């Protein structure tokens, strides 16, 4: 598979930013969230290929409230699974069973092509640090599918600074739920809501600080 070259995040912003807020407008952004079989291989640890983690669910969310997710049917060589001790078939974090993936999941090619279409022309963001985990799982998906990945993914918090005083306000206004169970579509929707709130706060401050145009 041909790899999409990484682009400096702020260089990307400088080319595509068409506002004074300092971050891309939510209409330019698509949030991606991925649930996976485990974290094996993400940190660079060496495992047999069959035991590397892989994506089990991928979701996208847009600023207009639209969102969509697909379960992914495991490829024959995808054997990894992180289970609750009480039920070897149920994923410990997302609570999706491997059996369900085989029953309801779409094949990797379908999901890869769908994701290319969803991201086309937009800036894809995720909340995994430096997008490392998501890029690892996307590479697993696209390598298995034989489809070329047509986009890059950027780390959300390269755009939203956690130490920014406006972050806490945006987080509160977004109404982020503290859930122990994670599902891709819900998580993607909440992340987009957070981004929209943060952008709105920044835009309102920029508008308030701008000199008013005198009326005749």
């Amino acid at each position: 598979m041909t790899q999409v070259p990484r682009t400096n995040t702020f260089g990307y912003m400088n080319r595509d930013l068409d506002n004074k807020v300092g971050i891309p407008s939510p209409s330019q952004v698509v949030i991606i969230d991925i649930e996976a079989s485990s974290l094996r291989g993400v940190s660079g640890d060496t495992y047999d290929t069959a035991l590397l983690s892989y994506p089990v669910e991928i979701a996208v969310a847009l600023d207009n409230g639209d969102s969509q997710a697909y379960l992914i049917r495991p490829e024959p060589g995808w054997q990894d699974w992180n289970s609750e001790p009480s039920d070897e078939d149920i994923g410990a974090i997302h609570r999706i069973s491997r059996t369900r993936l085989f029953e309801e999941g779409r094949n990797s090619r379908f999901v890869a092509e769908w994701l290319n279409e969803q991201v086309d022309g937009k800036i894809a963001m995720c909340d995994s640090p430096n997008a490392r985990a998501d890029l690892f799982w996307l590479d697993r998906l696209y390598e298995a599918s034989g489809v070329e990945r047509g986009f890059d993914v950027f780390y959300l918090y390269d755009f939203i600074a956690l130490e920014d005083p406006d972050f806490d306000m945006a987080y509160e206004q977004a109404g982020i739920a503290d859930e122990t169970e994670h599902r891709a579509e819900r998580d993607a929707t909440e992340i987009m809501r957070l981004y929209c709130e943060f952008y709105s706060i920044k835009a309102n401050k920029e508008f308030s600080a701008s000199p008013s145009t005198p009326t005749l």
Side-chain angles (χ1 to χ4, degrees):
M1 182 191 71
T2 303
Q3 294 290 324
V4 177
R6 292 285 292 168
T7 306
N8 176 273
T9 301
F10 299 103
Y12 196 108
M13 289 170 62
N14 290 338
R15 288 201 309 275
D16 293 283
L17 207 56
D18 60 0
N19 61 71
K20 297 180 180 180
V21 178
I23 59 175
S25 165
S27 64
Q28 295 177 284
V29 173
V30 57
I31 298 296
I32 293 177
D33 194 81
I34 302 176
E35 301 300 331
S37 59
S38 74
L39 294 174
R40 293 185 183 94
V42 170
S43 62
D45 297 335
T46 302
Y47 290 92
D48 183 274
T49 302
L51 298 180
L52 292 174
S53 60
Y54 52 86
V56 302
E57 184 180 44
I58 296 182
V60 297
L62 303 176
D63 70 307
N64 63 1
D66 288 349
S67 62
Q68 190 173 14
Y70 283 107
L71 296 174
I72 303 168
R73 186 166 64 246
E75 294 288 324
W78 292 358
Q79 301 300 320
D80 171 66
W81 196 251
N82 185 23
S83 305
E84 291 280 13
S86 60
D87 188 343
E88 294 183 357
D89 190 42
I90 301 295
I93 301 299
H94 44 67
R95 309 299 298 167
I96 301 168
S97 73
R98 188 168 159 88
T99 299
R100 183 180 175 188
L101 295 179
F102 282 107
E103 292 175 347
E104 302 178 21
R106 297 296 191 106
N107 65 59
S108 59
R109 185 174 187 85
F110 174 90
V111 177
E113 291 177 342
W114 163 77
L115 197 54
N116 276 348
E117 292 173 0
Q118 296 299 307
V119 180
D120 185 37
K122 291 185 177 291
I123 303 170
M125 297 186 191
C126 70
D127 69 344
S128 68
N130 299 316
R132 182 170 185 170
D134 287 59
L135 285 169
F136 177 83
W137 294 321
L138 286 172
D139 283 347
R140 293 280 279 163
L141 173 72
Y142 279 89
E143 286 168 3
S145 70
V147 176
E148 181 176 348
R149 176 161 55 89
F151 60 92
D152 203 353
V153 184
F154 297 90
Y155 181 38
L156 175 74
Y157 297 109
D158 280 341
F159 297 85
I160 299 178
L162 290 171
E163 64 274 13
D164 190 309
D166 292 327
F167 175 81
D168 289 339
M169 183 185 299
Y171 193 90
E172 181 178 349
Q173 291 181 359
I176 305 298
D178 293 325
E179 300 285 350
T180 56
E181 178 182 330
H182 290 273
R183 290 298 300 271
E185 188 168 10
R186 181 177 61 197
D187 289 354
T189 300
E190 288 191 342
I191 295 166
M192 175 55 85
R193 197 160 64 239
L194 171 63
Y195 187 86
C196 288
E197 291 291 349
F198 187 83
Y199 182 90
S200 178
I201 292 169
K202 292 298 186 186
N204 287 336
K205 285 187 173 182
E206 177 63 31
F207 178 79
S208 299
S210 299
S212 58
T213 303
T215 57
L216 298 178

